[in-house]
Amino acid sequence: MKGFAFLFLLSILILQNAFAQRENVISEESKVPEYQLPDVLTRFNGGKVSTAKDWVKKQRPDILKLFTDEVYGKVPGIQKISEVKVWETSDNAVNDLATRKQFSLFFKKGNRNLEVNVLMYLPKNAQKAPVFLAYNFTGNHTVYTDPNIRLTESWVANDPSLGIINNQVTEQSRATASNGWPIEKIIRSGYGLVTLYYGDVDPDKNDFSDGIEPFFYTKNQIKPRSNEWGSIAAWAWGLSRVMDYLEKDPDVDAKKVAVLGHSRLGKTALWAGATDQRFAMVISNESGCGGAALSKRTYGETVEIINTSFPYWFCDNFKKYNNREDLLSIDQHMLLALIAPRPLYVASAEDDKWADPRGEFLSAKYASAVYKLLGLEGLPVKEMPVVNQPVMGTIGYHIRTGKHGLTTYDWEQYIRFADKHFKEK
Ligand code: GCU
């Protein structure tokens, strides 16, 4: 009983703290405190980066290392795919426009076994299809009405309204996320879709005993070290393993894989793009704090808030910057710059203040310096565009009307952006 009372009090304290933090959240432009951003083309020893070679050989590795050690955490070792098992294929999916393949990537080590289920639709009329690779939030079967999609058996956060009970999905949850996945449109535009449930790689909860992390523990270790990966880096690692598979799939154009993610999965897509240059295009949909939005601009969600609500997303070192964003020697525009010279799209939504749309735009704007150094356009505008007016250089950006979410409008812009960079060549 005592233990219960203690837990009860503790949860009240945690909740109170969370509310207190929310109250302090800045959501008015005039209230944003001044901040200073590091210049992406100034070396950490003060020198200037003036050639593409200096960027590639010196500045880029230094920035990548700082993000690895201080923000997302490093991957502690190598774990390759142990086995691929194809569950089923079909030649007449998506109203006969696509092929479907469902397969699992197995990772095995000692008595550990992790299964990652992948769903792939490819347009029938393409020889080697360019694809969008994107994690989904609640299982492959939620993205489309196709009754052949296997139900995930993995742990999923409860949501009875979506038919997720006792952390297991049910038939009722089929197609519940389909609004965010205009699959027929994607296929008709000539792209494939490769999607998987992020919880297969690491369940999204504050628990380091499950998912991929324990594969690398030494004896008695129960969580990653302070400079080792949090869940975002683990999810990004998972995307790279899917890429390992895609490189071997003869029906996929592995040189044209656009990695895309929404929100926490947008943060993940950015980190995957930064750490793995095989991704030819990176798309961040409303990724916000710890994604595209600047951290030193403390509008909306802050480093302290995210590290408190999701203490397992980043590496422990990142907590040093709770309320001390000024101590960071990097900021998120430098993460975006790591994607260069590859096309990058950053998207915001007007009502998604939590993710700081302006901070997302500014980040894309300041990353452009690196694209320019590499002879590319970067973002084609200097001022933030008005709503529903996408701009597309080598960096694309839009802020659409509406709230936080991945919508058909967003996808339409990503398809146009992919057409521009993958097809007009
Ligand atoms: C929370 C979190 C955000 C995150 C979002 C999401 O709102 O604070 O950082 O992006 O969840 O993933 O939907």
PDB file of all heavy atoms in Angstrom, residues 97-131:
ATOM      1  N   LEU A  97      -2.986  -1.795 -59.602  1.00  0.00           N
ATOM      2  CA  LEU A  97      -1.952  -0.860 -60.049  1.00  0.00           C
ATOM      3  C   LEU A  97      -0.575  -1.244 -59.513  1.00  0.00           C
ATOM      4  O   LEU A  97       0.451  -0.758 -59.987  1.00  0.00           O
ATOM      5  CB  LEU A  97      -2.262   0.559 -59.536  1.00  0.00           C
ATOM      6  CG  LEU A  97      -3.528   1.231 -60.046  1.00  0.00           C
ATOM      7  CD1 LEU A  97      -3.863   2.454 -59.207  1.00  0.00           C
ATOM      8  CD2 LEU A  97      -3.331   1.615 -61.509  1.00  0.00           C
ATOM      9  N   ALA A  98      -0.562  -2.097 -58.483  1.00  0.00           N
ATOM     10  CA  ALA A  98       0.700  -2.320 -57.774  1.00  0.00           C
ATOM     11  C   ALA A  98       0.928  -3.794 -57.450  1.00  0.00           C
ATOM     12  O   ALA A  98       0.000  -4.595 -57.453  1.00  0.00           O
ATOM     13  CB  ALA A  98       0.693  -1.523 -56.472  1.00  0.00           C
ATOM     14  N   THR A  99       2.187  -4.077 -57.144  1.00  0.00           N
ATOM     15  CA  THR A  99       2.491  -5.366 -56.541  1.00  0.00           C
ATOM     16  C   THR A  99       2.592  -5.133 -55.031  1.00  0.00           C
ATOM     17  O   THR A  99       2.841  -4.010 -54.590  1.00  0.00           O
ATOM     18  CB  THR A  99       3.847  -5.907 -57.022  1.00  0.00           C
ATOM     19  OG1 THR A  99       4.871  -4.976 -56.627  1.00  0.00           O
ATOM     20  CG2 THR A  99       3.868  -6.092 -58.523  1.00  0.00           C
ATOM     21  N   ARG A 100       2.357  -6.188 -54.276  1.00  0.00           N
ATOM     22  CA  ARG A 100       2.499  -6.085 -52.817  1.00  0.00           C
ATOM     23  C   ARG A 100       3.469  -7.151 -52.364  1.00  0.00           C
ATOM     24  O   ARG A 100       3.436  -8.284 -52.885  1.00  0.00           O
ATOM     25  CB  ARG A 100       1.142  -6.303 -52.149  1.00  0.00           C
ATOM     26  CG  ARG A 100       1.182  -6.200 -50.607  1.00  0.00           C
ATOM     27  CD  ARG A 100      -0.156  -6.579 -49.965  1.00  0.00           C
ATOM     28  NE  ARG A 100      -0.508  -7.952 -50.261  1.00  0.00           N
ATOM     29  CZ  ARG A 100      -1.646  -8.328 -50.845  1.00  0.00           C
ATOM     30  NH1 ARG A 100      -2.577  -7.453 -51.157  1.00  0.00           N
ATOM     31  NH2 ARG A 100      -1.872  -9.607 -51.107  1.00  0.00           N
ATOM     32  N   LYS A 101       4.313  -6.789 -51.428  1.00  0.00           N
ATOM     33  CA  LYS A 101       5.186  -7.794 -50.817  1.00  0.00           C
ATOM     34  C   LYS A 101       5.227  -7.527 -49.322  1.00  0.00           C
ATOM     35  O   LYS A 101       5.367  -6.385 -48.897  1.00  0.00           O
ATOM     36  CB  LYS A 101       6.591  -7.697 -51.418  1.00  0.00           C
ATOM     37  CG  LYS A 101       7.612  -8.599 -50.746  1.00  0.00           C
ATOM     38  CD  LYS A 101       8.648  -9.156 -51.714  1.00  0.00           C
ATOM     39  CE  LYS A 101       9.811  -8.245 -51.927  1.00  0.00           C
ATOM     40  NZ  LYS A 101      10.834  -8.847 -52.794  1.00  0.00           N
ATOM     41  N   GLN A 102       5.068  -8.587 -48.541  1.00  0.00           N
ATOM     42  CA  GLN A 102       5.212  -8.447 -47.091  1.00  0.00           C
ATOM     43  C   GLN A 102       6.323  -9.379 -46.647  1.00  0.00           C
ATOM     44  O   GLN A 102       6.303 -10.574 -46.960  1.00  0.00           O
ATOM     45  CB  GLN A 102       3.909  -8.810 -46.383  1.00  0.00           C
ATOM     46  CG  GLN A 102       2.757  -7.889 -46.805  1.00  0.00           C
ATOM     47  CD  GLN A 102       1.524  -8.095 -45.948  1.00  0.00           C
ATOM     48  OE1 GLN A 102       1.488  -7.679 -44.791  1.00  0.00           O
ATOM     49  NE2 GLN A 102       0.515  -8.727 -46.505  1.00  0.00           N
ATOM     50  N   PHE A 103       7.272  -8.802 -45.958  1.00  0.00           N
ATOM     51  CA  PHE A 103       8.411  -9.620 -45.517  1.00  0.00           C
ATOM     52  C   PHE A 103       8.883  -9.160 -44.141  1.00  0.00           C
ATOM     53  O   PHE A 103       8.549  -8.060 -43.698  1.00  0.00           O
ATOM     54  CB  PHE A 103       9.556  -9.544 -46.535  1.00  0.00           C
ATOM     55  CG  PHE A 103      10.057  -8.156 -46.827  1.00  0.00           C
ATOM     56  CD1 PHE A 103      11.133  -7.626 -46.122  1.00  0.00           C
ATOM     57  CD2 PHE A 103       9.461  -7.375 -47.801  1.00  0.00           C
ATOM     58  CE1 PHE A 103      11.608  -6.342 -46.394  1.00  0.00           C
ATOM     59  CE2 PHE A 103       9.920  -6.085 -48.078  1.00  0.00           C
ATOM     60  CZ  PHE A 103      10.995  -5.573 -47.380  1.00  0.00           C
ATOM     61  N   SER A 104       9.647 -10.019 -43.505  1.00  0.00           N
ATOM     62  CA  SER A 104      10.221  -9.648 -42.206  1.00  0.00           C
ATOM     63  C   SER A 104      11.736  -9.688 -42.292  1.00  0.00           C
ATOM     64  O   SER A 104      12.309 -10.562 -42.952  1.00  0.00           O
ATOM     65  CB  SER A 104       9.791 -10.624 -41.108  1.00  0.00           C
ATOM     66  OG  SER A 104       8.440 -10.420 -40.805  1.00  0.00           O
ATOM     67  N   LEU A 105      12.345  -8.733 -41.624  1.00  0.00           N
ATOM     68  CA  LEU A 105      13.788  -8.778 -41.416  1.00  0.00           C
ATOM     69  C   LEU A 105      13.977  -9.300 -39.998  1.00  0.00           C
ATOM     70  O   LEU A 105      13.391  -8.764 -39.055  1.00  0.00           O
ATOM     71  CB  LEU A 105      14.391  -7.373 -41.536  1.00  0.00           C
ATOM     72  CG  LEU A 105      14.072  -6.600 -42.819  1.00  0.00           C
ATOM     73  CD1 LEU A 105      14.707  -5.215 -42.785  1.00  0.00           C
ATOM     74  CD2 LEU A 105      14.551  -7.381 -44.046  1.00  0.00           C
ATOM     75  N   PHE A 106      14.758 -10.347 -39.863  1.00  0.00           N
ATOM     76  CA  PHE A 106      15.040 -10.881 -38.523  1.00  0.00           C
ATOM     77  C   PHE A 106      16.453 -10.493 -38.116  1.00  0.00           C
ATOM     78  O   PHE A 106      17.374 -10.558 -38.927  1.00  0.00           O
ATOM     79  CB  PHE A 106      14.929 -12.410 -38.522  1.00  0.00           C
ATOM     80  CG  PHE A 106      13.510 -12.898 -38.612  1.00  0.00           C
ATOM     81  CD1 PHE A 106      12.953 -13.225 -39.838  1.00  0.00           C
ATOM     82  CD2 PHE A 106      12.740 -13.034 -37.465  1.00  0.00           C
ATOM     83  CE1 PHE A 106      11.647 -13.674 -39.921  1.00  0.00           C
ATOM     84  CE2 PHE A 106      11.425 -13.484 -37.544  1.00  0.00           C
ATOM     85  CZ  PHE A 106      10.879 -13.802 -38.776  1.00  0.00           C
ATOM     86  N   PHE A 107      16.571 -10.119 -36.856  1.00  0.00           N
ATOM     87  CA  PHE A 107      17.892  -9.822 -36.278  1.00  0.00           C
ATOM     88  C   PHE A 107      18.079 -10.799 -35.129  1.00  0.00           C
ATOM     89  O   PHE A 107      17.225 -10.894 -34.247  1.00  0.00           O
ATOM     90  CB  PHE A 107      17.936  -8.369 -35.784  1.00  0.00           C
ATOM     91  CG  PHE A 107      17.715  -7.396 -36.914  1.00  0.00           C
ATOM     92  CD1 PHE A 107      16.438  -6.934 -37.221  1.00  0.00           C
ATOM     93  CD2 PHE A 107      18.782  -6.972 -37.698  1.00  0.00           C
ATOM     94  CE1 PHE A 107      16.233  -6.061 -38.279  1.00  0.00           C
ATOM     95  CE2 PHE A 107      18.583  -6.102 -38.763  1.00  0.00           C
ATOM     96  CZ  PHE A 107      17.303  -5.644 -39.051  1.00  0.00           C
ATOM     97  N   LYS A 108      19.184 -11.539 -35.188  1.00  0.00           N
ATOM     98  CA  LYS A 108      19.386 -12.569 -34.166  1.00  0.00           C
ATOM     99  C   LYS A 108      20.761 -12.432 -33.548  1.00  0.00           C
ATOM    100  O   LYS A 108      21.752 -12.197 -34.252  1.00  0.00           O
ATOM    101  CB  LYS A 108      19.260 -13.960 -34.803  1.00  0.00           C
ATOM    102  CG  LYS A 108      17.869 -14.217 -35.321  1.00  0.00           C
ATOM    103  CD  LYS A 108      17.716 -15.593 -35.941  1.00  0.00           C
ATOM    104  CE  LYS A 108      16.299 -15.688 -36.491  1.00  0.00           C
ATOM    105  NZ  LYS A 108      16.064 -16.801 -37.359  1.00  0.00           N
ATOM    106  N   LYS A 109      20.796 -12.586 -32.240  1.00  0.00           N
ATOM    107  CA  LYS A 109      22.080 -12.577 -31.535  1.00  0.00           C
ATOM    108  C   LYS A 109      21.884 -13.342 -30.238  1.00  0.00           C
ATOM    109  O   LYS A 109      21.021 -12.983 -29.434  1.00  0.00           O
ATOM    110  CB  LYS A 109      22.491 -11.134 -31.242  1.00  0.00           C
ATOM    111  CG  LYS A 109      23.910 -10.994 -30.759  1.00  0.00           C
ATOM    112  CD  LYS A 109      24.228  -9.521 -30.589  1.00  0.00           C
ATOM    113  CE  LYS A 109      25.659  -9.290 -30.247  1.00  0.00           C
ATOM    114  NZ  LYS A 109      25.916  -7.872 -30.007  1.00  0.00           N
ATOM    115  N   GLY A 110      22.684 -14.392 -30.005  1.00  0.00           N
ATOM    116  CA  GLY A 110      22.491 -15.228 -28.818  1.00  0.00           C
ATOM    117  C   GLY A 110      21.061 -15.710 -28.791  1.00  0.00           C
ATOM    118  O   GLY A 110      20.534 -16.200 -29.784  1.00  0.00           O
ATOM    119  N   ASN A 111      20.378 -15.491 -27.663  1.00  0.00           N
ATOM    120  CA  ASN A 111      18.970 -15.914 -27.649  1.00  0.00           C
ATOM    121  C   ASN A 111      18.009 -14.769 -27.952  1.00  0.00           C
ATOM    122  O   ASN A 111      16.814 -14.852 -27.733  1.00  0.00           O
ATOM    123  CB  ASN A 111      18.614 -16.603 -26.317  1.00  0.00           C
ATOM    124  CG  ASN A 111      19.008 -15.742 -25.144  1.00  0.00           C
ATOM    125  OD1 ASN A 111      19.355 -14.576 -25.325  1.00  0.00           O
ATOM    126  ND2 ASN A 111      18.956 -16.306 -23.944  1.00  0.00           N
ATOM    127  N   ARG A 112      18.558 -13.678 -28.452  1.00  0.00           N
ATOM    128  CA  ARG A 112      17.695 -12.543 -28.827  1.00  0.00           C
ATOM    129  C   ARG A 112      17.252 -12.645 -30.274  1.00  0.00           C
ATOM    130  O   ARG A 112      18.025 -13.052 -31.139  1.00  0.00           O
ATOM    131  CB  ARG A 112      18.438 -11.220 -28.651  1.00  0.00           C
ATOM    132  CG  ARG A 112      18.813 -10.954 -27.242  1.00  0.00           C
ATOM    133  CD  ARG A 112      19.201  -9.498 -27.035  1.00  0.00           C
ATOM    134  NE  ARG A 112      19.471  -9.293 -25.629  1.00  0.00           N
ATOM    135  CZ  ARG A 112      18.550  -9.043 -24.720  1.00  0.00           C
ATOM    136  NH1 ARG A 112      17.293  -8.940 -25.070  1.00  0.00           N
ATOM    137  NH2 ARG A 112      18.871  -8.895 -23.453  1.00  0.00           N
ATOM    138  N   ASN A 113      16.015 -12.243 -30.513  1.00  0.00           N
ATOM    139  CA  ASN A 113      15.465 -12.312 -31.861  1.00  0.00           C
ATOM    140  C   ASN A 113      14.498 -11.141 -32.037  1.00  0.00           C
ATOM    141  O   ASN A 113      13.561 -10.972 -31.271  1.00  0.00           O
ATOM    142  CB  ASN A 113      14.708 -13.642 -32.013  1.00  0.00           C
ATOM    143  CG  ASN A 113      14.228 -13.850 -33.434  1.00  0.00           C
ATOM    144  OD1 ASN A 113      14.626 -13.121 -34.354  1.00  0.00           O
ATOM    145  ND2 ASN A 113      13.352 -14.823 -33.628  1.00  0.00           N
ATOM    146  N   LEU A 114      14.773 -10.304 -33.009  1.00  0.00           N
ATOM    147  CA  LEU A 114      13.887  -9.162 -33.264  1.00  0.00           C
ATOM    148  C   LEU A 114      13.346  -9.296 -34.673  1.00  0.00           C
ATOM    149  O   LEU A 114      14.093  -9.539 -35.616  1.00  0.00           O
ATOM    150  CB  LEU A 114      14.691  -7.860 -33.131  1.00  0.00           C
ATOM    151  CG  LEU A 114      13.893  -6.560 -33.128  1.00  0.00           C
ATOM    152  CD1 LEU A 114      13.247  -6.341 -31.757  1.00  0.00           C
ATOM    153  CD2 LEU A 114      14.813  -5.368 -33.427  1.00  0.00           C
ATOM    154  N   GLU A 115      12.033  -9.122 -34.799  1.00  0.00           N
ATOM    155  CA  GLU A 115      11.405  -9.248 -36.112  1.00  0.00           C
ATOM    156  C   GLU A 115      10.827  -7.908 -36.539  1.00  0.00           C
ATOM    157  O   GLU A 115      10.054  -7.291 -35.807  1.00  0.00           O
ATOM    158  CB  GLU A 115      10.276 -10.286 -36.057  1.00  0.00           C
ATOM    159  CG  GLU A 115       9.597 -10.439 -37.398  1.00  0.00           C
ATOM    160  CD  GLU A 115       8.465 -11.462 -37.397  1.00  0.00           C
ATOM    161  OE1 GLU A 115       8.283 -12.169 -36.379  1.00  0.00           O
ATOM    162  OE2 GLU A 115       7.765 -11.533 -38.417  1.00  0.00           O
ATOM    163  N   VAL A 116      11.217  -7.472 -37.707  1.00  0.00           N
ATOM    164  CA  VAL A 116      10.746  -6.188 -38.233  1.00  0.00           C
ATOM    165  C   VAL A 116       9.962  -6.473 -39.515  1.00  0.00           C
ATOM    166  O   VAL A 116      10.511  -6.973 -40.492  1.00  0.00           O
ATOM    167  CB  VAL A 116      11.951  -5.259 -38.502  1.00  0.00           C
ATOM    168  CG1 VAL A 116      11.505  -3.977 -39.185  1.00  0.00           C
ATOM    169  CG2 VAL A 116      12.697  -4.959 -37.204  1.00  0.00           C
ATOM    170  N   ASN A 117       8.672  -6.172 -39.474  1.00  0.00           N
ATOM    171  CA  ASN A 117       7.762  -6.478 -40.583  1.00  0.00           C
ATOM    172  C   ASN A 117       7.668  -5.337 -41.573  1.00  0.00           C
ATOM    173  O   ASN A 117       7.366  -4.216 -41.180  1.00  0.00           O
ATOM    174  CB  ASN A 117       6.359  -6.644 -40.018  1.00  0.00           C
ATOM    175  CG  ASN A 117       6.060  -8.080 -39.776  1.00  0.00           C
ATOM    176  OD1 ASN A 117       5.696  -8.784 -40.711  1.00  0.00           O
ATOM    177  ND2 ASN A 117       6.228  -8.504 -38.531  1.00  0.00           N
ATOM    178  N   VAL A 118       7.837  -5.625 -42.833  1.00  0.00           N
ATOM    179  CA  VAL A 118       7.817  -4.554 -43.831  1.00  0.00           C
ATOM    180  C   VAL A 118       6.718  -4.818 -44.857  1.00  0.00           C
ATOM    181  O   VAL A 118       6.503  -5.955 -45.282  1.00  0.00           O
ATOM    182  CB  VAL A 118       9.190  -4.445 -44.539  1.00  0.00           C
ATOM    183  CG1 VAL A 118       9.208  -3.254 -45.493  1.00  0.00           C
ATOM    184  CG2 VAL A 118      10.322  -4.327 -43.515  1.00  0.00           C
ATOM    185  N   LEU A 119       6.032  -3.750 -45.224  1.00  0.00           N
ATOM    186  CA  LEU A 119       5.006  -3.809 -46.269  1.00  0.00           C
ATOM    187  C   LEU A 119       5.486  -2.960 -47.440  1.00  0.00           C
ATOM    188  O   LEU A 119       5.902  -1.819 -47.246  1.00  0.00           O
ATOM    189  CB  LEU A 119       3.689  -3.227 -45.723  1.00  0.00           C
ATOM    190  CG  LEU A 119       2.584  -2.919 -46.735  1.00  0.00           C
ATOM    191  CD1 LEU A 119       2.046  -4.188 -47.390  1.00  0.00           C
ATOM    192  CD2 LEU A 119       1.432  -2.160 -46.044  1.00  0.00           C
ATOM    193  N   MET A 120       5.443  -3.542 -48.629  1.00  0.00           N
ATOM    194  CA  MET A 120       5.949  -2.807 -49.789  1.00  0.00           C
ATOM    195  C   MET A 120       4.959  -2.888 -50.938  1.00  0.00           C
ATOM    196  O   MET A 120       4.541  -3.980 -51.336  1.00  0.00           O
ATOM    197  CB  MET A 120       7.279  -3.450 -50.195  1.00  0.00           C
ATOM    198  CG  MET A 120       7.929  -2.857 -51.402  1.00  0.00           C
ATOM    199  SD  MET A 120       9.701  -3.218 -51.369  1.00  0.00           S
ATOM    200  CE  MET A 120       9.752  -4.574 -52.473  1.00  0.00           C
ATOM    201  N   TYR A 121       4.551  -1.729 -51.435  1.00  0.00           N
ATOM    202  CA  TYR A 121       3.757  -1.657 -52.664  1.00  0.00           C
ATOM    203  C   TYR A 121       4.618  -1.005 -53.731  1.00  0.00           C
ATOM    204  O   TYR A 121       5.198   0.060 -53.480  1.00  0.00           O
ATOM    205  CB  TYR A 121       2.512  -0.769 -52.475  1.00  0.00           C
ATOM    206  CG  TYR A 121       1.433  -1.349 -51.590  1.00  0.00           C
ATOM    207  CD1 TYR A 121       1.140  -0.777 -50.364  1.00  0.00           C
ATOM    208  CD2 TYR A 121       0.701  -2.452 -52.006  1.00  0.00           C
ATOM    209  CE1 TYR A 121       0.126  -1.286 -49.563  1.00  0.00           C
ATOM    210  CE2 TYR A 121      -0.312  -2.977 -51.207  1.00  0.00           C
ATOM    211  CZ  TYR A 121      -0.588  -2.387 -49.988  1.00  0.00           C
ATOM    212  OH  TYR A 121      -1.589  -2.903 -49.208  1.00  0.00           O
ATOM    213  N   LEU A 122       4.684  -1.616 -54.909  1.00  0.00           N
ATOM    214  CA  LEU A 122       5.454  -1.006 -55.999  1.00  0.00           C
ATOM    215  C   LEU A 122       4.543  -0.851 -57.211  1.00  0.00           C
ATOM    216  O   LEU A 122       3.747  -1.746 -57.514  1.00  0.00           O
ATOM    217  CB  LEU A 122       6.648  -1.895 -56.375  1.00  0.00           C
ATOM    218  CG  LEU A 122       7.697  -2.128 -55.292  1.00  0.00           C
ATOM    219  CD1 LEU A 122       8.795  -3.058 -55.817  1.00  0.00           C
ATOM    220  CD2 LEU A 122       8.315  -0.816 -54.817  1.00  0.00           C
ATOM    221  N   PRO A 123       4.675   0.282 -57.932  1.00  0.00           N
ATOM    222  CA  PRO A 123       3.838   0.466 -59.124  1.00  0.00           C
ATOM    223  C   PRO A 123       4.184  -0.601 -60.155  1.00  0.00           C
ATOM    224  O   PRO A 123       5.357  -0.876 -60.400  1.00  0.00           O
ATOM    225  CB  PRO A 123       4.227   1.866 -59.614  1.00  0.00           C
ATOM    226  CG  PRO A 123       5.522   2.194 -58.949  1.00  0.00           C
ATOM    227  CD  PRO A 123       5.587   1.388 -57.686  1.00  0.00           C
ATOM    228  N   LYS A 124       3.163  -1.177 -60.743  1.00  0.00           N
ATOM    229  CA  LYS A 124       3.387  -2.282 -61.678  1.00  0.00           C
ATOM    230  C   LYS A 124       4.119  -1.839 -62.937  1.00  0.00           C
ATOM    231  O   LYS A 124       4.837  -2.604 -63.547  1.00  0.00           O
ATOM    232  CB  LYS A 124       2.039  -2.852 -62.098  1.00  0.00           C
ATOM    233  CG  LYS A 124       1.556  -3.976 -61.235  1.00  0.00           C
ATOM    234  CD  LYS A 124       0.328  -4.532 -61.911  1.00  0.00           C
ATOM    235  CE  LYS A 124      -0.157  -5.800 -61.336  1.00  0.00           C
ATOM    236  NZ  LYS A 124      -1.340  -6.292 -62.017  1.00  0.00           N
ATOM    237  N   ASN A 125       3.858  -0.584 -63.332  1.00  0.00           N
ATOM    238  CA  ASN A 125       4.413  -0.145 -64.610  1.00  0.00           C
ATOM    239  C   ASN A 125       5.854   0.347 -64.515  1.00  0.00           C
ATOM    240  O   ASN A 125       6.396   0.851 -65.483  1.00  0.00           O
ATOM    241  CB  ASN A 125       3.535   0.943 -65.225  1.00  0.00           C
ATOM    242  CG  ASN A 125       3.341   2.113 -64.263  1.00  0.00           C
ATOM    243  OD1 ASN A 125       3.990   2.159 -63.218  1.00  0.00           O
ATOM    244  ND2 ASN A 125       2.466   3.038 -64.611  1.00  0.00           N
ATOM    245  N   ALA A 126       6.481   0.239 -63.343  1.00  0.00           N
ATOM    246  CA  ALA A 126       7.872   0.702 -63.235  1.00  0.00           C
ATOM    247  C   ALA A 126       8.806  -0.499 -63.196  1.00  0.00           C
ATOM    248  O   ALA A 126       8.488  -1.516 -62.591  1.00  0.00           O
ATOM    249  CB  ALA A 126       8.051   1.525 -61.977  1.00  0.00           C
ATOM    250  N   GLN A 127       9.950  -0.366 -63.842  1.00  0.00           N
ATOM    251  CA  GLN A 127      10.928  -1.461 -63.841  1.00  0.00           C
ATOM    252  C   GLN A 127      11.630  -1.544 -62.497  1.00  0.00           C
ATOM    253  O   GLN A 127      11.674  -2.564 -61.844  1.00  0.00           O
ATOM    254  CB  GLN A 127      11.952  -1.202 -64.942  1.00  0.00           C
ATOM    255  CG  GLN A 127      11.468  -1.634 -66.306  1.00  0.00           C
ATOM    256  CD  GLN A 127      12.178  -2.888 -66.754  1.00  0.00           C
ATOM    257  OE1 GLN A 127      13.405  -2.948 -66.649  1.00  0.00           O
ATOM    258  NE2 GLN A 127      11.450  -3.868 -67.219  1.00  0.00           N
ATOM    259  N   LYS A 128      12.194  -0.407 -62.125  1.00  0.00           N
ATOM    260  CA  LYS A 128      12.855  -0.294 -60.822  1.00  0.00           C
ATOM    261  C   LYS A 128      12.272   0.956 -60.214  1.00  0.00           C
ATOM    262  O   LYS A 128      12.513   2.061 -60.694  1.00  0.00           O
ATOM    263  CB  LYS A 128      14.360  -0.079 -61.029  1.00  0.00           C
ATOM    264  CG  LYS A 128      15.210  -1.314 -60.850  1.00  0.00           C
ATOM    265  CD  LYS A 128      16.665  -0.935 -61.053  1.00  0.00           C
ATOM    266  CE  LYS A 128      17.629  -2.026 -60.649  1.00  0.00           C
ATOM    267  NZ  LYS A 128      17.667  -2.396 -59.261  1.00  0.00           N
ATOM    268  N   ALA A 129      11.470   0.794 -59.202  1.00  0.00           N
ATOM    269  CA  ALA A 129      10.697   1.944 -58.730  1.00  0.00           C
ATOM    270  C   ALA A 129      11.453   2.785 -57.712  1.00  0.00           C
ATOM    271  O   ALA A 129      12.085   2.248 -56.798  1.00  0.00           O
ATOM    272  CB  ALA A 129       9.393   1.452 -58.111  1.00  0.00           C
ATOM    273  N   PRO A 130      11.350   4.123 -57.854  1.00  0.00           N
ATOM    274  CA  PRO A 130      11.758   4.991 -56.744  1.00  0.00           C
ATOM    275  C   PRO A 130      10.740   4.805 -55.628  1.00  0.00           C
ATOM    276  O   PRO A 130       9.569   4.542 -55.911  1.00  0.00           O
ATOM    277  CB  PRO A 130      11.680   6.403 -57.338  1.00  0.00           C
ATOM    278  CG  PRO A 130      10.770   6.302 -58.509  1.00  0.00           C
ATOM    279  CD  PRO A 130      10.778   4.874 -58.986  1.00  0.00           C
ATOM    280  N   VAL A 131      11.155   4.901 -54.394  1.00  0.00           N
ATOM    281  CA  VAL A 131      10.194   4.641 -53.302  1.00  0.00           C
ATOM    282  C   VAL A 131      10.264   5.692 -52.202  1.00  0.00           C
ATOM    283  O   VAL A 131      11.291   6.343 -51.995  1.00  0.00           O
ATOM    284  CB  VAL A 131      10.412   3.250 -52.643  1.00  0.00           C
ATOM    285  CG1 VAL A 131      10.210   2.129 -53.643  1.00  0.00           C
ATOM    286  CG2 VAL A 131      11.772   3.135 -51.977  1.00  0.00           C
TER     287      VAL A 131
END
